[in-house]
Amino acid sequence: MLRITNLFAKVEEKEILKGLNLTINAGEVHAIMGPNGAGKSTLGNVLSGRDGYEVTDGKIDFNDKDLFALSTEERAREGLFLAFQYPVEIPGVSNMEFLKASVDAKRKHHGQSELSAVEFMKLARETSKRVSLDQAFLKRGVNEGFSGGEKKRNEILQMMLLEPSLCILDETDSGLDIDALQIVANGVNEMRSPERSFIIVTHYQRLLDYIVPDFVHVLANGRIVKTGGKQLALELEEKGYAWLEEEAV
Amino acid sequence: MSDFQQLALQLATQQQSPVWLNGLRAQAAVDWQKVIWPTRKTEHWKYTSLASLQKNVPAQWAVANDSWQQDVEFVAVDAHRLVFVNGIFDAASSSELPAEVVLFSQANIAQQAVIEQYLGKIVRGEQHVFATLNNAWMNEGIFVHVPRGQIFSRPVYVVHVSTMSTQPASVNQRLLVVLDENSQAEVIEHFVSTAERQNIFVNALTEIVVGDNAQLQHYRLHLEEENIQHVGAVHVNLLRNARMRGFTLALGSRLKRIDYQINHRGQGAELDLQGVYLPRNNQMVDYHTNVQHWVPHCTTNEVFRGIIADSAQAIFNGRIYIHPLAQKTLAELSNKNLLTSNKAEVNTKPELEIYADDVKCAHGATISQLSSTALYYLQSRGISRSEAEVMLSFGFINELLQQVAEPAVRDYLLPRLAVLFGRDQTLLEMAD
């Protein structure tokens, strides 16, 4: 599914990722934990191809394609999805229009016809129920005036509609209360399948009580410094990151 | 006098008007000869050139034309409709009118008296060059009178159609709206042209009085194609506790200049004014607004947004003037501009002049390009860069369109502007 080899990346001349290696097979759930500034969000942004994130070395294969040869939108259409830590508010662009445009873009890319407005409305309504998001949110501007929890549920709604093969959740648990956390986690768990992989970027072990990972990685100083099973998350919760950062230097 | 002034004077003498208007017209013709023709050195015409008027002199009055119907679609509103084609009333396309809505030429004695009481008076003293010309040129006009305590159940909908003329030609339009105390009405002015190459110069002046406790919804839509030259103005007096909710929109053209002059003359008056301008290609749009607070306890909330594409040019000059007596004023003015091309140009100047000490005022103008974060967000969902740009541009004005109070106007504008931005209109309608 995804193979990251010796990845180096800079943001504004500051080297953030320093030789990161990570392989993810189909169907696996990988949690990436680590201290602030370790490069967790940078990894998500590099994967989705955000401007300003300069890759200086290394390569990423995504479904046997060179990821760096694809634009941000092509990566999305090929099945890469990044759930944002801070979903963007876009007043004036209706959520419905936005969702349909993204679903249609993916369908066209795969040689399918666009959905009719009626077909799409039906799909969007059904899907928004799955994340307990009131249909009224479809009519509002994209994330406009949504609470933190509503924004994250809207991210999961997009994920469900786009049916990506690789889902990257960037601190999706930040700013969520327990109820919203459960809804988000249920959404992710519903989507788990042998063909779909997840990268769960998080600070806290809490989310991993709900979304149980196959692997837990610790990202520190721009590299994966430790990999383990789900117990590692519990160990981190207890001991913090400092001992690993010291090891990594 | 400039060439245009000379010519305009000749045109004035060719107009036939009701006899009782002759005094006003004659005085205006005298004033017109003393008018100082605006040049680039005139502050309020600094960025808007009248050279095209001078060069392409509209030396005759436009004549009626009946080959416009297929090009023009009306706002689907159940209204008292008046249609003018090249400035000439088209009775066949208009609806039957109530007694309170008349042409100047058909006004009865009582109505003539009310017209004479207000016509040219609301605009007076503001030394608006083209208002003087409109007075001198006036042959006809529309008078809307909402009597005390009356609520118009249907809007008054005035459509001005401009077509192709054999030679560049002129059109004069005049509207007078008087709302007596405790009355309510909605007025929609809709300027539109046929799709041919138009060569009309339109001078359209609207005067409005909103009486004590009266409420007006006013729309002025400038949807003419790009070769139209339009100089228009809306002059308003708001009396005690009057409320006006105004919305205006302008597509660009060779010359499009619209002035709003609004006076808070009675305590407790409230103004909400929103505007959208969308010049493209080589078009221009110039909005000048001037809201004056003469008395205490009035409120102004003004929001204008523009998207300037290609090599187009926009000018926005928004002035709010708080006179010394106007304590407890609340006034806000916001102007945001989006440039979608390197060659697009905007000159924006919000002006706040405050001569009272107990007021709450804010103003601001921004010029920006599309948010890179929002573009990235859309692209990360598979939407192409170009489509994302269009979506965000449309979203920028859609925020204002969504607030348009008259659903028929909103329903008319949304799909038309969506087409301009290449958006899927069926979904817009369904999401509504």
Side-chain angles (χ1 to χ4, degrees):
Chain A
M1 172 76 60
L2 185 76
R3 178 175 292 118
I4 304 174
T5 316
N6 195 35
L7 181 66
F8 284 78
K10 287 197 296 196
V11 183
E12 288 168 1
E13 295 307 308
K14 188 168 185 259
E15 193 145 71
I16 308 282
L17 298 181
K18 304 166 190 169
L20 187 142
N21 292 292
L22 181 65
T23 300
I24 292 174
N25 297 309
E28 293 175 351
V29 175
H30 291 243
I32 295 184
M33 303 181 74
N36 286 326
K40 301 191 301 295
S41 289
T42 299
L43 177 61
N45 283 320
V46 166
L47 285 169
S48 98
R50 183 171 195 165
D51 281 350
Y53 289 76
E54 190 192 345
V55 174
T56 50
D57 200 5
K59 61 181 258 184
I60 303 180
D61 289 317
F62 174 53
N63 288 332
D64 300 323
K65 287 193 173 110
D66 173 10
L67 190 72
F68 299 142
L70 303 175
S71 66
T72 296
E73 51 265 42
E74 285 165 339
R75 294 176 197 193
R77 294 170 197 162
E78 286 283 332
L80 187 146
F81 181 89
L82 171 67
F84 280 46
Q85 182 180 3
Y86 303 109
V88 183
E89 293 199 25
I90 312 179
V93 176
S94 88
N95 206 17
M96 180 72 83
E97 189 195 7
F98 159 63
L99 295 170
K100 185 170 188 297
S102 53
V103 169
D104 282 341
K106 179 171 186 191
R107 290 179 63 90
K108 275 201 295 206
H109 183 71
H110 293 283
Q112 296 166 296
S113 62
E114 293 183 5
L115 292 175
S116 73
V118 177
E119 287 169 322
F120 182 77
M121 288 289 282
K122 187 165 176 283
L123 177 66
R125 284 187 177 133
E126 285 165 2
T127 313
S128 55
K129 268 188 212 142
R130 286 167 63 193
V131 290
S132 309
L133 201 58
D134 192 277
Q135 286 177 22
F137 289 98
L138 297 171
K139 296 178 190 170
R140 303 231 313 242
V142 175
N143 294 320
E144 185 187 359
F146 288 25
S147 71
E150 287 155 358
K151 282 180 183 164
K152 297 300 170 76
R153 280 184 272 161
N154 200 30
E155 294 291 288
I156 303 301
L157 168 65
Q158 292 163 38
M159 188 166 87
M160 288 175 162
L161 287 170
L162 289 170
E163 301 182 317
S165 55
L166 176 65
C167 309
I168 305 149
L169 278 68
D170 187 8
E171 302 202 20
T172 296
D173 50 338
S174 67
L176 287 192
D177 59 31
I178 293 292
D179 293 339
L181 191 68
Q182 274 180 346
I183 291 167
V184 165
N186 289 343
V188 170
N189 288 329
E190 253 184 66
M191 289 192 67
R192 286 179 79 155
S193 86
E195 294 82 39
R196 183 170 293 131
S197 311
F198 291 84
I199 298 175
I200 315 279
V201 175
T202 182
H203 266 295
Y204 305 106
Q205 187 270 337
R206 190 179 64 161
L207 178 65
L208 306 179
D209 284 341
Y210 300 97
I211 306 172
V212 181
D214 300 305
F215 300 94
V216 174
H217 308 277
V218 178
L219 177 59
N221 295 319
R223 288 186 297 137
I224 303 285
V225 295
K226 193 169 181 63
T227 295
K230 62 184 178 195
Q231 315 86 314
L232 178 57
L234 294 166
E235 204 180 335
L236 291 168
E237 187 84 353
E238 203 179 305
K239 294 163 74 176
Y241 296 112
W243 58 289
L244 288 167
E245 284 182 280
E246 281 159 27
E247 278 179 28
V249 172
Chain B
M1 280 202 291
S2 66
D3 293 354
F4 181 81
Q5 271 170 293
Q6 293 281 7
L7 162 103
L9 203 57
Q10 281 169 31
L11 280 180
T13 61
Q14 294 167 21
Q15 286 287 56
Q16 297 285 323
S17 69
V19 179
W20 50 277
L21 287 174
N22 281 348
L24 178 68
R25 287 189 51 206
Q27 183 58 50
V30 171
D31 294 344
W32 174 249
Q33 296 172 62
K34 297 183 217 150
V35 152
I36 297 161
W37 185 246
T39 65
R40 294 290 185 124
K41 289 179 191 151
T42 313
E43 176 60 21
H44 287 294
W45 294 89
K46 199 167 165 183
Y47 301 105
T48 299
S49 165
L50 292 169
S52 63
L53 264 188
Q54 293 273 33
K55 226 182 302 169
N56 210 354
V57 178
Q60 55 190 315
W61 289 113
V63 293
N65 179 326
D66 52 14
S67 65
W68 54 273
Q69 261 113 342
Q70 68 219 36
D71 288 322
V72 174
E73 205 179 319
F74 296 136
V75 174
V77 61
D78 180 19
H80 305 301
R81 186 172 71 208
L82 298 97
V83 178
F84 290 76
V85 181
N86 293 339
I88 294 150
F89 184 62
D90 184 334
S93 307
S94 303
S95 64
E96 211 169 297
L97 299 175
E100 295 83 7
V101 180
V102 291
L103 301 180
F104 288 176
S105 58
Q106 288 161 14
N108 61 34
I109 298 291
Q111 287 170 324
Q112 287 174 23
V114 183
I115 294 173
E116 285 189 294
Q117 186 186 340
Y118 293 107
L119 191 73
K121 307 268 170 45
I122 302 160
V123 76
R124 193 175 60 189
E126 282 155 6
Q127 290 157 12
H128 193 283
V129 176
F130 285 90
T132 305
L133 180 62
N134 196 288
N135 283 343
W137 272 7
M138 190 163 33
N139 64 325
E140 185 58 286
I142 307 156
F143 177 46
V144 178
H145 186 197
V146 193
R148 180 179 171 167
Q150 254 201 45
I151 296 171
F152 271 16
S153 58
R154 291 199 277 168
V156 176
Y157 176 33
V158 186
V159 187
H160 298 291
V161 182
S162 294
T163 72
M164 175 87 179
S165 181
T166 48
Q167 298 286 323
S170 293
V171 164
N172 202 60
Q173 299 283 356
R174 189 64 169 253
L175 171 64
L176 174 65
V177 179
V178 177
L179 275 79
D180 289 345
E181 61 181 87
N182 290 312
S183 68
Q184 291 179 30
E186 176 182 338
V187 175
I188 305 165
E189 296 185 71
H190 181 187
F191 296 86
V192 64
S193 67
T194 54
E196 313 147 51
R197 199 181 155 76
Q198 324 77 24
N199 49 3
I200 303 272
F201 166 65
V202 178
N203 180 344
L205 180 63
T206 299
E207 288 180 281
I208 298 171
V209 183
V210 186
D212 293 356
N213 297 308
Q215 295 183 25
L216 174 69
Q217 263 189 61
H218 176 255
Y219 299 88
R220 207 172 206 261
L221 313 174
H222 309 89
L223 299 171
E224 302 119 315
E225 303 277 334
E226 54 197 316
N227 287 303
I228 286 287
Q229 305 196 73
H230 180 129
V231 176
V234 179
H235 294 251
V236 185
N237 280 344
L238 300 175
L239 306 188
R240 200 181 171 85
N241 295 323
R243 288 189 59 186
M244 172 165 164
R245 187 164 182 179
F247 175 83
T248 179
L249 182 139
L251 303 182
S253 67
R254 191 143 58 122
L255 170 65
K256 197 162 283 181
R257 162 66 180 253
I258 301 126
D259 284 52
Y260 271 76
Q261 298 270 351
I262 298 177
N263 295 288
H264 288 283
R265 297 200 186 273
Q267 293 198 22
E270 283 178 35
L271 168 70
D272 251 297
L273 180 63
Q274 301 194 322
V276 172
Y277 43 93
L278 303 165
R280 293 171 298 145
N281 304 328
N282 293 314
Q283 306 162 356
M284 61 86 63
V285 172
D286 176 353
Y287 268 106
H288 269 64
T289 72
N290 183 15
V291 180
Q292 301 204 56
H293 286 254
W294 299 90
V295 294
H297 294 288
C298 295
T299 306
T300 295
N301 184 15
E302 181 179 343
V303 179
F304 272 74
R305 284 194 181 186
I307 300 176
I308 303 98
D310 310 320
S311 313
Q313 185 202 11
I315 295 118
F316 177 80
N317 191 300
R319 179 171 181 253
I320 296 182
Y321 193 106
I322 318 282
H323 289 267
L325 282 179
Q327 302 295 357
K328 305 286 179 191
T329 291
L330 292 176
E332 270 187 64
L333 165 65
S334 153
N335 173 235
K336 291 186 180 175
N337 297 280
L338 189 63
L339 303 179
T340 62
S341 133
N342 289 334
K343 291 183 186 152
E345 182 184 328
V346 62
N347 292 286
T348 172
K349 187 173 168 196
E351 298 176 81
L352 204 46
E353 288 182 54
I354 305 175
Y355 298 97
D357 53 17
D358 185 13
V359 300
K360 206 174 154 189
C361 299
H363 71 311
T366 62
I367 300 165
S368 60
Q369 288 168 334
L370 296 169
S371 146
S372 60
T373 313
L375 279 172
Y376 168 57
Y377 189 62
L378 295 181
Q379 284 177 277
S380 79
R381 299 303 181 250
I383 297 166
S384 71
R385 172 103 189 176
S386 56
E387 191 182 357
E389 285 172 355
V390 169
M391 282 175 86
L392 292 180
S393 304
F394 183 66
F396 180 74
I397 55 157
N398 192 27
E399 269 187 273
L400 293 188
L401 295 176
Q402 290 301 333
Q403 294 170 38
V404 169
E406 169 56 61
V409 169
R410 197 174 58 226
D411 292 350
Y412 186 85
L413 291 177
L414 264 181
R416 282 168 176 78
L417 299 181
V419 165
L420 215 61
F421 287 89
R423 306 304 314 138
D424 181 345
Q425 38 176 316
T426 49
L427 202 69
L428 286 172
E429 283 156 18
M430 290 195 69
D432 225 20

